[in-house]
Amino acid sequence: QEGIFCEPAGAVALSGLKEALNKNEADPGEAVVCLITGSGFKDMQSVENNFSLATVSPLEERVAIDTVLKFL
């Protein structure tokens, strides 16, 4: 299985391709390039609805900058 986790606006290219195929405006056998942009994590409501992640918001947990720099 495979998936694409992009922001909603980044999926517009796929939606347009699907519509073009439905209207026979694109040949299903031809090579097509769709640029999918943005991370799905930009849509946190979608993340919360579809993934079981910790419910701590970034504002509730503060981390010292030294800890962040050490991690990086």
Side-chain angles (χ1 to χ4, degrees):
Q1 290 184 336
E2 163 179 341
I4 298 172
F5 188 45
C6 64
E7 66 177 315
V12 171
L14 286 177
S15 178
L17 175 59
K18 181 179 177 183
E19 186 68 19
L21 289 168
N22 289 339
K23 292 181 175 182
N24 294 319
E25 295 173 347
D27 180 356
E30 69 183 327
V32 177
V33 175
C34 286
L35 299 178
I36 311 300
T37 60
S39 168
F41 288 106
K42 289 182 179 178
D43 180 11
M44 288 310 292
Q45 187 62 50
S46 175
V47 172
E48 291 173 10
N49 291 341
N50 296 295
F51 300 96
S52 51
L53 301 175
T55 58
V56 176
S57 89
L59 298 176
E60 293 173 0
E61 183 177 328
R62 306 238 185 247
V63 179
I65 189 67
D66 293 347
T67 305
V68 173
L69 292 174
K70 186 185 292 186
F71 175 77
L72 295 174

